[in-house]
Amino acid sequence: MHFTWKKRLAHSKPGKKADLILIGLDAPNAVPMYDVYAQLAYALKGSDVETVIIGGRVVMRDKKLLTVDEPR
């Protein structure tokens, strides 16, 4: 079975909720980027995630959780 991302990804529209992650690409493990899917699967890691949006709500921004009280 041939899999294509374009058929699987939903389109973002105003008023729609979305789950999204924003990944920093300035770490040494993020370059060179020849194949974005291979990079996501094999080279990038959780610590590269900078922002997380779930259901349209930002739950992590600039690597800081906004929904959990972290010990200081």
Side-chain angles (χ1 to χ4, degrees):
M1 181 172 156
H2 181 63
F3 179 80
T4 60
W5 286 100
K6 289 182 182 181
K7 290 182 182 178
R8 297 279 306 186
L9 295 177
H11 297 282
S12 177
K13 295 180 182 177
K16 298 274 186 177
K17 293 185 177 183
D19 296 343
L20 183 69
I21 61 169
L22 303 179
I23 300 172
L25 299 176
D26 52 352
N29 61 305
V31 291
M33 178 89 59
Y34 298 118
D35 180 345
V36 74
Y37 303 115
Q39 200 76 1
L40 284 169
Y42 302 115
L44 297 174
K45 44 192 179 182
S47 60
D48 296 319
V49 176
E50 294 181 348
T51 300
V52 177
I53 302 170
I54 301 173
R57 180 176 171 216
V58 178
V59 296
M60 185 170 82
R61 179 180 288 129
D62 297 325
K63 298 186 178 191
K64 292 182 177 74
L65 290 173
L66 304 176
T67 59
V68 176
D69 290 331
E70 295 185 64
R72 294 179 190 230

